[in-house]
Amino acid sequence: MEFKTIIEPFRIKSVEPIRMTTPEERAHYLHEAHHNPFLLPSDKVLIDLLTDSGTSAMSSRQWAAMMLGDESYAGAKSWERFFEEVNDLTGMPHILPTHQGRAAERILYSHLGGTGKYFFSNTHFDTTRANIEFSGSTAIDLPCPEAKDYDSDIPFKGNMDTQALREQIQKVKAKNVAAVILTVTNNSGGGQPVSMANAREVAAICKQHNVPFVLDCCRVAENAYFIRHREPEYEHLSYREIAQEMFSLADAAVMSIKKDGLVNMGGFLALRNHALAEACTNLLIITEGFATYGGLSGRDMEAIAVGLEEVFEADYLHYRIRSTAYLGERIRAMGIPVIFPIGGHAVYVDAARLYPHIPPHEFPGQALVCDLYLAGGVRSVEVGSVMFGKYDAKGQFVAAPQELVRLALPRRVYTQSHLDYVIEVFGAVIQTREQARGYRITHEPPFLRHFTAHFERL
Ligand code: F0G
């Protein structure tokens, strides 16, 4: 007999207390933080769904491995462990360790890019776009048309629009294309997966035009889960074999290991081409560290080598994807508009539809982020006009294309009862949705304002 309840496939050996707060205390803390949850101290947060990056709980095997850390400057045993693991996973001969994903991005994209160069992606993550634009290049998002449809159950809304990719390469000329980047899963596109068929087609187009194909693979294990369960030819392969097949299509891979590496810090750049690896290694040594540690200590590399194995375990991935879906499906059944199907690492709520009376320039997503904190101490992040809204040359407000709130689930950290609590908090929020009010920005920095802006409730 198969049971329906999805249990956490681990026992808890070490615990970290979280402190309960009253609604009055939360109102005070949020006021002190200028209504920007990024400015809240973490001990004032009950359930922290700000990000799934670097927030994983490590296993006892990982903690044990850390004691084996070899901290030699060059040629450490821990580097060999790290290299063997990443080399086996990616099949790429050149591996550059970095302290996190954006360091690998900066090295590769500053080398490939430059004025007049183009990068195409299913959707560039913010730091990816920032690194590309900083190098003088242009970053263009080419998500598949189904990505805009929040309600249908189309299985691979993270795919790239391959027709648009062909047209764009024709338009800007292949020699000006620095790289094509496939982000798996597509974080900024709702955490939706990319199919192997789409990756294969993107690879073929890149090969035809002799353009480098890069995999941004920070959630590649979660993506493999969706492929195995939604793309029939893959149901007999293991999750790791599916990921290996995806890497085999690419020329390079950048990874923020802070996600599917099940660790708190780390990244890598993996390359097939020897000359490119040599050039990137020089950049690595200038800013990150020697080629056998990058920005990492030996103990970090040990924990990563174990994490990259554990993340592909079938019981773990099943629990991971099912618990994200559990949260998303329950709040959807309650009437909360979400991006559907639910993605791998996060639930994305459509705040514009939840609060239709709050116009984009009064930030419905920010209103929801604040309401979730006030109602139950839940911290989430706005992905809408606070993050991506702009002012045009005449000073007119230009709204972001969507007003979302992301609830990202740290890996192996919260239990089902924590999620049941979050679902109850949504129950409270939906009851008072008509009273929700917008926000006004009272202070903002020139770049990446969502991190530090101050707000006032209207
Ligand atoms: N690529 C993707 C798809 C990401 O989601 C991130 C980080 C990065 C690259 C950069 O990696 O943080 O290690 O430098 N995403 C985090 C998030 C911050 O909350 O989604 P990093």
Side-chain angles (χ1 to χ4, degrees):
M1 168 158 183
E2 205 174 317
F3 295 103
K4 281 210 303 286
T5 308
I6 308 296
I7 62 163
E8 290 79 16
F10 46 79
R11 297 189 296 188
I12 296 166
K13 192 182 287 249
S14 175
V15 296
E16 188 181 2
I18 46 181
R19 201 174 71 80
M20 302 295 164
T21 47
T22 64
E24 294 70 34
E25 284 172 333
R26 292 194 290 270
H28 171 70
Y29 299 145
L30 193 62
H31 182 77
E32 296 267 284
H34 305 280
H35 296 95
N36 183 351
F38 271 107
L39 303 179
L40 283 169
S42 70
D43 64 351
K44 307 289 187 277
V45 175
L46 201 53
I47 308 282
D48 203 346
L49 307 183
L50 189 65
T51 180
D52 64 320
S53 182
T55 51
S56 299
M58 293 212 296
S59 66
S60 48
R61 245 185 92 208
Q62 285 176 293
W63 284 108
M66 285 183 77
M67 288 305 290
L68 302 174
D70 173 356
E71 307 301 344
S72 305
Y73 191 93
K77 270 266 159 280
S78 303
W79 156 249
E80 286 173 25
R81 247 321 255 117
F82 176 95
F83 175 84
E84 278 162 23
E85 182 59 37
V86 179
N87 171 255
D88 177 72
L89 176 62
T90 62
M92 298 195 195
H94 305 286
I95 310 294
L96 284 64
T98 61
H99 78 281
Q100 63 182 84
R102 67 197 72 179
E105 292 177 342
R106 190 186 55 76
I107 290 170
L108 182 63
Y109 302 150
S110 66
H111 181 73
L112 294 176
T115 311
K117 296 280 187 186
Y118 289 83
F119 288 80
F120 300 114
S121 175
N122 46 345
T123 312
H124 296 84
F125 180 68
D126 340 0
T127 58
T128 317
R129 174 176 288 279
N131 271 299
I132 288 170
E133 291 177 349
F134 193 69
S135 79
S137 319
T138 305
I140 297 180
D141 291 339
L142 303 173
C144 66
E146 301 82 36
K148 286 199 205 81
D149 171 0
Y150 289 174
D151 296 314
S152 72
D153 59 359
I154 293 166
F156 291 106
K157 292 184 188 173
N159 283 353
M160 186 182 280
D161 183 340
T162 48
Q163 184 54 33
L165 177 63
R166 283 197 188 86
E167 289 164 12
Q168 285 285 341
I169 295 175
Q170 292 279 323
K171 192 171 141 200
V172 307
K173 300 206 172 58
K175 67 173 172 36
N176 295 321
V177 181
V180 174
I181 306 165
L182 203 54
T183 309
V184 300
T185 56
N186 191 358
N187 183 12
S188 310
Q192 297 291 311
V194 175
S195 71
M196 192 72 83
N198 188 250
R200 228 183 279 126
E201 212 184 327
V202 170
I205 296 169
C206 289
K207 205 173 188 125
Q208 184 196 341
H209 295 282
N210 200 21
V211 166
F213 172 25
V214 183
L215 210 57
D216 179 343
C217 63
C218 59
R219 299 179 181 90
V220 70
E222 292 173 3
N223 199 79
Y225 182 92
F226 290 110
I227 289 179
R228 181 158 165 206
H229 295 273
R230 294 182 186 175
E231 232 175 329
E233 329 151 44
Y234 290 94
E235 65 188 343
H236 301 299
L237 291 191
S238 72
Y239 298 121
R240 192 176 175 94
E241 285 165 343
I242 292 171
Q244 284 166 326
E245 180 166 332
M246 195 166 254
F247 282 113
S248 77
L249 300 169
D251 302 303
V254 287
M255 183 169 194
S256 168
I257 315 176
K258 297 169 74 172
K259 285 81 167 175
D260 271 351
L262 300 175
V263 291
N264 308 113
M265 198 50 75
F268 68 70
L269 167 58
L271 299 160
R272 281 191 206 288
N273 182 287
H274 180 72
L276 182 57
E278 223 169 38
C280 289
T281 301
N282 290 333
L283 295 175
L284 177 81
I285 295 171
I286 294 172
T287 58
E288 286 280 300
F290 185 59
T292 63
Y293 72 88
L296 298 172
S297 50
R299 56 181 172 271
D300 291 335
M301 293 191 280
E302 294 283 347
I304 289 166
V306 176
L308 286 174
E309 280 172 19
E310 288 182 345
V311 77
F312 288 103
E313 284 168 10
D315 288 344
Y316 161 74
L317 271 179
H318 185 63
Y319 139 79
R320 168 70 178 163
I321 302 299
R322 281 307 309 154
S323 57
T324 309
Y326 174 81
L327 172 61
E329 285 163 9
R330 291 290 165 110
I331 63 172
R332 184 176 192 245
M334 224 179 233
I336 302 283
V338 297
I339 297 188
F340 190 77
I342 308 302
H345 68 298
V347 175
Y348 291 73
V349 178
D350 185 353
R353 262 163 77 186
L354 181 67
Y355 292 159
H357 58 288
I358 303 179
H361 69 274
E362 292 178 8
F363 309 120
Q366 192 65 23
L368 178 57
V369 160
C370 289
D371 290 348
L372 288 169
Y373 179 74
L374 291 170
V378 175
R379 179 155 70 171
S380 53
V381 66
E382 194 260 15
V383 184
S385 287
V386 174
M387 205 181 261
F388 297 118
K390 291 189 196 114
Y391 298 96
D392 67 12
K394 292 190 198 124
Q396 286 291 314
F397 174 78
V398 184
Q402 45 199 8
E403 303 294 340
L404 302 174
V405 167
R406 184 182 78 168
L407 309 160
L409 297 179
R411 292 169 182 77
R412 304 193 293 204
V413 169
Y414 293 118
T415 64
Q416 179 156 337
S417 59
H418 288 118
L419 299 186
D420 284 330
Y421 172 85
V422 176
I423 293 162
E424 262 193 79
V425 171
F426 269 97
V429 164
I430 203 167
Q431 275 181 16
T432 52
R433 68 198 285 186
E434 269 100 46
Q435 284 104 279
R437 297 218 300 271
Y439 283 79
R440 185 172 80 81
I441 294 181
T442 56
H443 160 79
E444 63 180 300
F447 300 107
L448 296 169
R449 67 176 174 187
H450 54 286
F451 289 122
T452 53
H454 295 179
F455 299 86
E456 195 174 75
R457 192 163 185 240
L458 292 167

